[in-house]
Amino acid sequence: ALQAWREDAFGAEAAERLAQVEADQQEWDQRWRAYQQQRSQLESLGLAGPEREAAIRRLREQFFTGPERYRAEALDSIQ
């Protein structure tokens, strides 16, 4: 129903782009939750500051690419 409404309101091409944006966001959210879970496990290990930061950086590199890493780092900094 939502897709049909979008097609009526915005056209088929725009509706498809909106659907893709939503799918991309859902995929990001899923990776972010998995990353957070593993990061929490790392935090519980009691690593020293530099070791902990290096481990978190490696974890970010496993879950995210390019600019996504900056987004993840920014989100980490506000939590």
Side-chain angles (χ1 to χ4, degrees), residues 37-54:
Q37 184 179 26
Q38 288 193 24
R39 182 178 176 194
S40 291
Q41 292 172 352
L42 272 176
E43 300 269 347
S44 69
L45 295 176
L47 298 172
E51 292 171 335
R52 183 176 59 84
E53 290 304 316

